Amino acid sequence: MPSNVIVGLQWGDEGKGKITDLLSKNSDYVIRYQGGNNSGHSIHINNRYFILHLIPSGVVNPAIKCIIGPGMVIDPKSLIQEFKKIESIGINTSRVFLAKRAHLTMPYHRLLDEYKEEALGSRSIGTTHRGIGPTYEDKIARIGIRLLDFLNFKVFHKKLKDNVDYKNKIITKVYKKNPIYFKSIYEEYIEYAKILSPRIIDSVHEIHYAFHKKKKILFEGAQAMLLDINYGTYPYVTPSSTSTGGVCTGTGIPPNFLKNFIGIAKAYCTRVGYGPFPTEIRNKMSDIIRKKGNEYGSTTKRSRRCGWLDLLSLKYSCMINGINYLIITKLDVLSELELIKVCVKYQIHGKNIQYFPSNIELEEKEIEAIYIDFPGWKKDISHIHEYEDLPKNCKKYVNFIESYLNLDIVLISVGSERSQNIIKNKSSFLKIFS
């Protein structure tokens, strides 16, 4: 069966949780392939609202098997708290499993994340202080601790002791902070190991077996394309591969397992933390969009920077990810505006360019976004379910996006509820479910 991949195309917070929940209804598996608890996927169903950080968004459907994949980094304390929280509202988590090869985020990772940001001062990246970067650093340095080490206390003891001894040299000598203590960490995390061990599986075998049994698999990404470690706005990125290419390295599947590449973008842009943002709005209009769109970080609660839709970056993201199905979210947020702007090119040093530059962080102060203006529609669209019923100016806006990207929009989200959607291209939507 063709497998579906969901990926964010901007700087995150595009509504991947809602769309994953929607599309998972026709899936047998939902699998997260990268990231950690530095991301948050919000789901709103029948007045129930909750945020998932590590658990795949398909967990709402009790028939689906969810896997936290090998490419993820897992904070066991945070994960157990997440299990308890969603179980308390009646959601069954018995079909959520963890990949043996996924790496563990430990207390020293969180501390090192915080200390490094503090030391960098004005040059800091603006991380969530959840220890994600340091965990991936240990993975690449080949000194990380994996979930499979939880299954052998003797091995876990040795690896943790080695790491604590090594990290204490950095903590005390580089950052001049108090050391951490092996015994207390070991005793705490052994208890987490006992709780999580029944969920730890060989996910590579499981996924390949499922594929050959013609199961329907949905791969879910976190963060988004412009935060990708290789192709995002480096260095203001996340330390994992957020693109569709990350599915293969993050789950252990070959590219020919994948067929439908579903990209999600807001009808405008937002960004949390530092980094280049060519279309950022720097007046009261930003506050209007932020309030209407509830643009505050799911994980950090930080205010999101708001800006106009950037079609250069969006086209770049679609190209890198091979997107063949596009979903636009939060179109309803723009309903109150008299005028809506869309960036169609940049001007750098007096020269017009129509591509997303690789050195954008160096050129940020020199970039001027060039816009096309669209009249607003000044009408609530959150109750609309048919594309034909949208206001004329709204359809002009959507059609222009499709024309610029040369890509059909299959679905439009007009509210946070699971049911607040417009299927624009019904034949394409059915192909995703076929």
Side-chain angles (χ1 to χ4, degrees):
M1 295 296 292
S3 297
N4 296 326
V5 183
I6 289 179
V7 63
L9 299 175
Q10 296 159 316
W11 284 283
D13 312 305
E14 297 93 351
K16 294 182 293 297
K18 172 187 172 176
I19 302 303
T20 301
D21 168 59
L22 175 69
L23 298 183
S24 67
K25 290 188 294 183
N26 196 47
S27 302
D28 298 302
Y29 285 77
V30 175
I31 302 168
R32 270 277 304 273
Y33 60 90
Q34 51 75 220
N37 64 323
N38 57 335
S39 68
H41 289 180
S42 304
I43 298 178
H44 191 183
I45 304 171
N46 298 329
N47 297 318
R48 287 195 309 171
Y49 175 82
F50 52 94
I51 299 172
L52 299 171
H53 299 282
L54 289 163
I55 298 172
S57 302
V59 69
V60 178
N61 189 325
I64 291 171
K65 201 165 189 176
C66 294
I67 297 178
I68 298 174
M72 289 189 66
V73 294
I74 300 172
D75 182 328
K77 182 177 181 179
S78 176
L79 178 59
I80 291 168
Q81 290 172 346
E82 193 171 326
F83 276 131
K84 290 179 179 177
K85 188 171 183 178
I86 65 172
E87 285 167 357
S88 71
I89 59 174
I91 294 175
N92 183 0
T93 69
S94 64
R95 291 174 64 83
V96 179
F97 297 91
L98 320 177
K100 282 184 176 182
R101 292 177 172 86
H103 280 245
L104 290 168
T105 296
M106 303 297 289
Y108 47 78
H109 291 130
R110 295 192 295 272
L111 288 174
L112 289 170
D113 196 351
E114 179 183 345
Y115 296 160
K116 185 176 182 179
E117 287 283 278
E118 180 184 299
L120 287 170
S122 62
R123 295 177 291 112
S124 65
I125 301 298
T127 75
T128 60
H129 292 182
R130 300 296 174 93
I132 308 305
T135 308
Y136 277 110
E137 288 176 21
D138 278 5
K139 177 178 180 177
I140 299 303
R142 295 163 292 185
I143 58 173
I145 300 174
R146 297 186 290 175
L147 270 168
L148 62 85
D149 298 319
F150 259 0
L151 303 177
N152 187 320
F153 290 173
K154 184 177 180 180
V155 171
F156 177 65
H157 185 284
K158 183 181 187 307
K159 288 190 174 184
L160 179 62
K161 185 66 168 62
D162 289 344
N163 269 278
V164 169
D165 290 346
Y166 175 61
K167 296 299 189 296
N168 269 335
K169 293 176 182 177
I170 299 172
I171 290 170
T172 59
K173 295 182 180 181
V174 176
Y175 295 115
K176 310 299 182 184
K177 304 288 186 179
N178 294 327
I180 56 175
Y181 296 98
F182 165 78
K183 183 179 179 182
S184 59
I185 296 173
Y186 178 75
E187 290 175 351
E188 179 184 359
Y189 279 72
I190 281 297
E191 295 306 310
Y192 298 152
K194 293 175 183 176
I195 295 170
L196 295 177
S197 290
R199 298 181 184 268
I200 300 173
I201 63 170
D202 185 334
S203 66
V204 173
H205 172 77
E206 176 81 20
I207 296 168
H208 280 254
Y209 180 81
F211 183 83
H212 290 296
K213 287 293 182 179
K214 302 188 183 303
K215 300 295 184 180
K216 295 178 181 178
I217 304 173
L218 177 62
F219 295 96
E220 176 188 23
Q223 287 91 28
M225 174 62 208
L226 297 180
L227 294 175
D228 185 89
I229 186 65
N230 296 304
Y231 304 107
T233 51
Y234 189 89
Y236 300 97
V237 293
T238 199
S240 59
S241 182
T242 60
S243 68
T244 54
V247 177
C248 297
T249 57
T251 62
I253 64 165
N256 65 344
F257 273 26
L258 307 174
K259 183 177 182 181
N260 299 324
F261 300 87
I262 304 163
I264 305 177
K266 286 179 182 174
Y268 52 96
C269 286
T270 62
R271 178 164 198 166
V272 175
Y274 308 132
F277 190 175
T279 63
E280 184 172 7
I281 301 171
R282 301 180 185 275
N283 55 38
K284 291 182 179 179
M285 185 62 69
S286 177
D287 296 329
I288 293 172
I289 294 174
R290 184 179 299 110
K291 183 177 180 181
K292 176 69 174 176
N294 190 30
E295 296 296 355
Y296 301 92
S298 299
T299 298
T300 63
K301 308 304 179 186
R302 290 182 291 183
S303 296
R304 294 174 185 148
R305 299 155 63 192
C306 297
W308 300 115
L309 183 62
D310 185 341
L311 288 179
L312 275 78
S313 66
L314 188 53
K315 191 167 189 174
Y316 166 79
S317 293
C318 290
M319 175 185 71
I320 292 287
N321 287 285
I323 299 302
N324 52 2
Y325 296 106
L326 180 63
I327 294 174
I328 296 294
T329 62
K330 291 200 167 185
L331 184 63
D332 57 300
V333 174
L334 302 180
S335 293
E336 297 180 4
L337 307 184
E338 294 279 358
L339 187 72
I340 299 167
K341 293 177 176 288
V342 179
C343 176
V344 294
K345 57 186 173 182
Y346 300 149
Q347 192 173 81
I348 304 178
H349 304 299
K351 180 181 178 181
N352 289 337
I353 65 169
Q354 291 186 292
Y355 58 87
F356 193 71
S358 59
N359 62 338
I360 192 169
E361 75 286 349
L362 301 177
E363 300 282 4
E364 181 185 15
K365 293 181 180 179
E366 304 298 329
I367 289 178
E368 179 186 355
I370 307 300
Y371 298 99
I372 290 180
D373 294 343
F374 287 84
W377 44 91
K378 297 291 288 182
K379 180 181 179 181
D380 178 25
I381 62 171
S382 61
H383 62 285
I384 293 177
H385 292 283
E386 297 294 333
Y387 183 71
E388 293 73 18
D389 296 333
L390 287 173
K392 182 179 178 180
N393 287 342
C394 185
K395 286 187 284 190
K396 281 184 178 180
Y397 184 70
V398 172
N399 291 340
F400 182 81
I401 295 170
E402 288 185 321
S403 175
Y404 188 98
L405 298 175
N406 192 27
L407 192 64
D408 287 340
I409 294 171
V410 63
L411 183 135
I412 300 168
S413 171
V414 292
S416 60
E417 271 282 354
R418 177 194 270 178
S419 60
Q420 288 180 291
N421 303 298
I422 297 169
I423 300 174
K424 182 178 183 295
N425 190 321
K426 290 181 172 60
S427 62
S428 293
F429 190 76
L430 289 173
K431 287 179 183 178
I432 296 174
F433 276 96
S434 64

